[in-house]
């Protein structure tokens, strides 16, 4: 659907900006930006009635939804391509949390691949700023506050610092500034 395609374009560009702000090489930034586009490839194995459910997921539906990380890894693993190897790592790790409370493996801190930590932040922010079947788009200040609050628990603090160093570019990508002006 077009919403998913738009989300992928925005969040991957945000991931590239975070990588750049972290001082990664131009090549590494480009790989992260492209590989992050495949972060949810495992959702091809999730039933549409769960993916597009207009309300909260039941515990069983959530368990099924969470399998998309392992499905993504399975789809992408084993390639000799550095890009696809990174995409597999991202697919498997973009729902891990800095404090170890994420899934699927409960990885924490630096045990989470850097590309996965970057993608997690870019993915969450764009998802908050977007309309989804189960929620409206969040106001910019509320989304910003969640990112600040999640630094050191949900998100790698270095990634959060890099994210905010590119704030003006990021809100331009998400259209957040335009929505705030229209709401005023």
């Amino acid at each position: 659907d077009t919403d998913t395609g738009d989300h992928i374009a925005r969040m991957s560009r945000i991931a590239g900006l975070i990588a750049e702000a972290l001082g990664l090489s131009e090549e590494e930034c480009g790989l992260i930006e492209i590989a992050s586009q495949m972060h949810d490839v495992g959702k091809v194995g999730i039933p549409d009635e769960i993916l597009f459910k207009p309300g909260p997921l039941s515990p069983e539906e959530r368990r099924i939804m969470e399998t998309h990380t392992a499905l993504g890894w399975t789809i992408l693993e084993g390639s000799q391509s550095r890009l696809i190897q990174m995409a597999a790592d991202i697919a498997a790790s973009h729902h891990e949390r800095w404090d170890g409370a994420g899934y699927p493996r409960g990885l924490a801190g630096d045990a989470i691949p850097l590309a996965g930590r970057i993608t997690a932040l870019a993915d969450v922010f764009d998802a908050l700023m977007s309309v989804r079947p189960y929620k409206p788009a969040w106001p910019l200040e509320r989304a910003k506050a969640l990112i600040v609050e999640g630094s050191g628990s949900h998100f790698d603090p270095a990634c959060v610092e890099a994210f905010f160093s590119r704030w003006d570019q990021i809100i331009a990508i998400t259209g957040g500034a335009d929505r705030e002006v229209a709401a005023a």
Side-chain angles (χ1 to χ4, degrees):
D1 64 77
T2 56
D3 291 338
T4 298
D6 292 344
H7 165 68
I8 289 169
R10 288 187 308 265
M11 66 75 48
S12 66
R13 185 63 197 117
I14 293 167
L17 288 171
I18 295 169
E20 181 182 283
L22 287 168
L24 300 181
S25 71
E26 186 176 334
E27 177 186 7
E28 199 72 8
C29 292
L31 283 170
I32 289 170
E33 188 167 335
I34 295 168
S36 68
Q37 294 176 26
M38 295 177 258
H39 72 287
D40 276 341
V41 69
K43 286 186 176 178
V44 300
I46 305 300
D48 284 352
E49 59 268 13
I50 293 174
L51 284 176
F52 300 110
K53 185 176 179 181
L57 299 178
S58 71
E60 176 62 15
E61 289 167 333
R62 175 150 303 283
R63 188 193 64 70
I64 292 167
M65 177 66 88
E66 289 179 358
T67 67
H68 83 277
T69 56
L71 291 168
W73 169 261
T74 300
I75 290 166
L76 298 167
E77 73 171 323
S79 174
Q80 297 304 307
S81 161
R82 185 164 174 239
L83 173 67
I84 302 302
Q85 290 170 359
M86 181 182 286
D89 284 343
I90 289 171
S93 67
H94 73 282
H95 283 289
E96 299 288 359
R97 291 174 46 116
W98 185 252
D99 63 8
Y103 67 89
R105 296 177 26 206
L107 300 177
D110 291 333
I112 305 164
L114 179 58
R117 298 190 318 256
I118 290 169
T119 301
L121 177 52
D123 184 35
V124 167
F125 184 73
D126 188 71
L128 293 173
M129 296 296 293
S130 303
V131 173
R132 294 291 174 93
Y134 52 87
K135 69 159 198 70
W138 282 25
L140 179 60
E141 287 306 313
R142 182 176 175 205
K144 181 179 181 181
L146 185 129
I147 301 303
V148 169
E149 186 179 298
S151 181
S153 57
H154 192 151
F155 308 113
D156 176 345
C159 291
V160 172
E161 184 178 334
F163 173 87
F164 283 116
S165 77
R166 297 295 195 268
W167 181 246
D168 290 343
Q169 293 167 284
I170 289 169
I171 61 170
I173 290 166
T174 63
D178 297 338
R179 275 204 317 268
E180 292 299 304
V181 169

